[in-house]
Amino acid sequence: MPDKKITELPVVSTISDLDIAPVVQGGLISGETRRTTVAQLRSGILAERPLHVREFGAVGDGTTDDTAAINAAISAAFALGGGTVLLGPRRYLVNSGELLVRENVILQGQLHQGGFRMNSDYATVRYTIVLNPAYTIRVQRNGGIHGVAIMRSGMTRATTLRQGLDEAAAFAGTAVTLGNGAAGGSAGNGADSSLTRLLILGFNWGIWSEGNARVRISDILGDCTNGLYLGRSFDVSRISEVNWHPLLTTARSWSNTRIPIAAVENNGSGLFRITTASPHGLASGDMINVAEVRGSGAPACYGRWVVTVVDGSRLDLRGSSFAGLWGSGGAVYINPNRRLGSAFVINDADMASFENCFEYGHEIGFDVQNAVHAGHFSNVGTDGWNDMADPSTVGIRIAGTSLRTKWVGGFISSKGCSVQVTTTGAEQHEIIGVDVTGGARRIAEVLSGQLSFVGCDFTGAPGTGNVTISAIHLGSGTGSLIVTGCDTSPVTFTADNAAAMQKLQLAANRPGTSTPNTQRIAAGRLELASVSAAAAIETRLSTDVDGAVNIHRRSATDGAQLTLANSASSVVAQLSVASNDLVLETRSGATVTERLRMASNGTLTVGTGPLVLAADPTAALHAATRQYVDAQFTDRRMTTVLLSGATALAQASHNARMLIANPGTTLSINWASTGDGFSCSVVNRTGGDLALTLSGFTGSTPSNSDGFTKIRSGGVATLLLYSPDGGTTRICHLTGAGAP
């Protein structure tokens, strides 16, 4: 190459590590001119800087596969003993294998990714890994990912209800796996790893950790079918500020779609067929909820259904059984924000801590499974579309061999059941200071295991039809349920049986300023106890599942000296309702015997034993109309009733009474309103003979041996109704001052 001035040399478009550049000509210390390569320059000047994926060939255009380049950068950092690998403000496609974040290496993007984007447009988010859902990003011991968005490849921006449903159905794969165990696989070596400030979108699982101790996960925003799985995690893993929310479909005009129902009918094959008031836009296999129909005559179609589309406005509910006769009302709810998974799953972990975590729209909010010991949840929350009234969802589920779980603060809202406990151990789970809201089914269900509500606020409503969303329910296998210091004004306690209700303990609860100081018990037993100062005598008042009110004492025998020790509870009196009769029973020896019965029609019947009244009615303040024979009550003076118009005689108003028929009176008698055994006396003061109009009798006129069918003017006659053969023959007999 001929000699040229430097300004005449061609411009270098790219510089490689092997390029030679003169740097120093001879100086005072060294008289020689030295040269260096670009690689030497980089290693000398930038020896301690983080590595960048661009240095290893990553393009970051969202379409070029950068898997090998990013892994190479991570491996280079690992070879140096660990360090930070930087992602630039680009979108890196990982399409041909896993990313392996090796021990002591941090993959880092920007300070924070945020979450919500207008119209769910995430196409321009930078510092992003676009991940093929067939692969995962695996993090090993002491490794981590900070400030990165992880998005499923193929994810699109939904702009219609149909696209929103399809996008949620397309979620697949696992975004981040801690350790060597793949999702659902065996344990891995991801102990002491950390994930912070991540945005995770479009996967079946957001984060999966199996067999990793002391993991740290914080400041995560994501939209996945299932959020975080933490299994076999020991030595206190810390989870904080993790929020799983339907970011890809929320805050749109079609996010929560409600379509009124125009008709409900049998489809001809025994299924419910719903006709919507406007086009539904659904496809066969989509899921809907039907609500607001409990009181419409077709309550059986309430709930969640997979549909078969008949046409643009008609849907058949798969698996339904048509029943009832729909009149009006109801709506179809279509929810692309629904996520048919669990936001948080914890299994076999000790002292795991969850703080300031939240989820919206999942099938189960927090699923605490087997062998979770002393899990701590502080200021956590669950939420959903309450209007949709989905009875299948659960806010908190504590199950299996989990023990001593603690929930402090936050709220559990808008699920079918806010809290469900099905544990096997005898240890108590506690929910403290939490706002627990009744959803579409119940506030809480304690089906087995032990639970305490302390200082909680319960909210809900009585529901309609056979649904009580303000109920706290005890199953037949329940352990103790303690409710103390809570606002129980909206709560109805229910139970499978009386034995289950006896496991309920209420203490020092707040009934609410506008609600009387009472507690509703829908089934089972409520006991109120009174114990003497010496704790030697106890009296209890209880209500049983059959509606009986019992008075108990702690002794099987009479006597003033009753002791609590070594004595069984004995019923001494019982007030109950049997076939709408009010029955009072008292103990006589070893049995409880009926003493008094008030029938639904008002008849009062004395059982065994006489009815004794005072001999002197004046001294006893009895009514002056009562007559006494040998100090016993025998009869009551006949009551008079004044008549002056058209009168239909009835059992309740006229039986065993003296009727004064003044001018203008007409009389009619219907057997259905009077019946066998009805009688009355009539004084005719109308100024003429008084006729009787009969209906429902064997004859159309009164029966009388003299042929009289009217009551003589100024006379007194008795009317007696009877059936000599038990009802086939029905007679009105007139005696006394009759007239032809």
Side-chain angles (χ1 to χ4, degrees), residues 59-130:
V59 177
D61 59 5
T63 58
T64 302
D65 185 3
D66 289 323
T67 308
I70 299 174
N71 275 331
I74 295 172
S75 295
F78 173 72
L80 296 173
T84 301
V85 173
L86 299 178
L87 291 175
R90 295 173 178 265
R91 296 170 67 88
Y92 300 90
L93 176 64
V94 173
N95 199 45
S96 57
E98 294 183 349
L99 283 189
L100 180 60
V101 181
R102 305 184 66 174
E103 292 187 18
N104 307 313
V105 175
I106 300 297
L107 183 62
Q108 182 169 310
Q110 66 179 2
L111 181 64
H112 197 281
Q113 284 290 347
F116 178 81
R117 299 295 196 281
M118 291 297 296
N119 295 320
S120 302
D121 186 359
Y122 294 90
T124 60
V125 175
R126 302 191 298 175
Y127 298 96
T128 295
I129 294 176
V130 180

Side-chain angles (χ1 to χ4, degrees), residues 244 246 289 294 302 304 335 337-344 358-366 381-397 411-420 435-445 459-460 467-471:
W244 302 109
N289 276 76
R294 296 172 186 150
Y302 162 77
R304 175 195 292 183
N335 184 17
N337 288 337
R338 188 198 311 264
R339 302 294 180 257
L340 293 174
S342 299
F344 298 88
F358 181 78
E359 71 80 31
Y360 181 100
H362 290 81
E363 190 83 347
I364 301 176
F366 291 81
T382 71
D383 203 356
W385 188 12
N386 197 43
D387 293 344
M388 185 175 65
D390 190 338
S392 303
T393 56
V394 178
I396 297 171
R397 184 172 69 180
F411 68 85
I412 309 300
S413 176
S414 304
K415 299 293 186 180
C417 179
S418 294
V419 178
Q420 185 184 80
D435 181 3
V436 186
T437 301
R441 190 168 82 242
R442 287 171 174 150
I443 292 176
E445 296 172 341
T459 57
V467 178
T468 304
I469 62 177
S470 60

Side-chain angles (χ1 to χ4, degrees), residues 126-149:
R126 302 191 298 175
Y127 298 96
T128 295
I129 294 176
V130 180
L131 179 64
N132 184 327
Y135 306 107
T136 190
I137 303 175
R138 192 177 306 282
V139 181
Q140 293 186 324
R141 180 186 298 275
N142 297 316
I145 309 174
H146 300 165
V148 176

